[in-house]
């Protein structure tokens, strides 16, 4: 897993140079990306970037079926690395049943089969077979290129993401010793406390990835929450619940927070987070929006793998997910 994480800068650099050649409808009132887990996260990243650039809504759906409002001028993009995820397959079949515009992104499996049988535009995910969450750079880059083709987000080829990832790798990689490596130091703190990860705007999306990577790689519980919403609920127990002392607060910061949001971070720390086991601020992540997102993800991926090492667990297998998929059996037709 560490090797896969460390490959992110070079993979991103290579894939960002490529152009996507897939026929897509050119009249759209919206896009729904369907995907679960690591694949769904790619949809979250597209939707996050699209928030500030897209003239039409980009929504992520993480469930069976499709919302009723999805109509003939909405593109459904079904994303599944394995191509075998039951919920995603069900949503793609629903799109076909309702005769909705559909595109598919997968490395193979039943979803690729379905796309070929029905003549659905198919974006074939490149690269060797790996775990879905490790394949994020292989999926997010073509998904963003698809988004750029539709005018939802800027062309990712203009991003400095690869450069940013290289610089982070030099600061946080395994050869950088603990004393000067903030990612290793944070993993050390999370060995003794549950991570409570907070972010605003794009960093709220990244907080979800951090939580999921801590769950799957390090096999630990973690929480992710966003500002300002947490100011209206999660803030309340911090000064009064003894559970506060068992949590380490991770604040994911970005360069474009407004003055009001910055003030909320300060006041929330004074009223609530000061009761935690500790607080670590990560960032602010800089650069263009894609560079900031991918940089923050890379950072969290490294923390999760370092924590797995400290806990003596293998980051790769996710036995509970495999067992659950096995117990549920094949996907409904
Ligand atoms: O990281 C994982 O293995 C999971 O979160 C998967 O991404 C999730 O179960 C969905 O599988 P897929 O990405 O193959 O659709």
């Amino acid at each position: 897993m560490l090797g896969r994480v460390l490959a992110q800068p070079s993979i991103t650099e290579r894939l960002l140079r490529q152009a996507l050649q897939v026929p897509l409808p050119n009249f759209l009132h919206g896009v729904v990306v369907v995907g679960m887990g690591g694949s769904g996260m790619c949809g979250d990243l597209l939707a996050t970037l699209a928030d500030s650039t897209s003239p039409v809504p980009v929504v992520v759906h993480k469930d069976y079926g499709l919302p009723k409002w999805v109509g003939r001028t909405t593109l459904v993009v079904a994303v599944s690395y394995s191509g075998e995820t039951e919920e995603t397959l069900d949503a793609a079949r629903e799109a076909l049943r309702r005769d909705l515009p559909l595109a598919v992104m997968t490395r193979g499996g039943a979803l690729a089969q379905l796309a070929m049988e029905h003549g659905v535009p198919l974006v074939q995910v490149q690269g060797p077979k790996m775990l879905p969450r490790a394949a994020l750079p292989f999926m997010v880059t073509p998904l963003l290129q698809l988004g750029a083709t539709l005018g939802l987000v800027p062309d990712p080829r203009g991003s400095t993401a690869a450069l940013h990832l290289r610089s982070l790798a030099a600061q946080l990689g395994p050869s950088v010793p603990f004393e000067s490596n903030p990612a290793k130091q944070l993993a050390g703190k999370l060995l003794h406390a549950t991570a409570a990860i907070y972010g605003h705007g794009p960093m709220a999306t990244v907080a979800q990835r951090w939580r999921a990577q801590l769950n799957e790689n390090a096999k630990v519980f973690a929480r992710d929450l966003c500002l300002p919403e947490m100011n209206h609920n999660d803030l309340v127990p911090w000064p009064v619940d003894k559970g506060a002392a068992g949590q380490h607060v991770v604040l994911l910061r970005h360069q474009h927070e407004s003055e009001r949001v910055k003030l909320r971070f300060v006041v929330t720390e004074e009223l609530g987070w000061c009761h935690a086991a500790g607080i670590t601020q990560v960032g602010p992540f800089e650069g263009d929006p894609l560079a900031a997102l991918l940089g923050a993800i890379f950072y969290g991926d490294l923390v999760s793998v370092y924590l797995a090492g400290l806990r003596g667990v293998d980051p790769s297998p996710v036995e509970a997910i495999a067992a659950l998929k096995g117990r549920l059996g094949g996907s409904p037709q």
Side-chain angles (χ1 to χ4, degrees), residues 36-39 79-83 85 88 132-133 216 318 321 325:
M36 308 301 296
S39 296
V79 182
S80 167
Y81 183 73
S82 61
T85 297
T88 313
R133 63 192 183 281
E216 294 185 60
V318 280
I321 297 177
K325 288 182 177 178

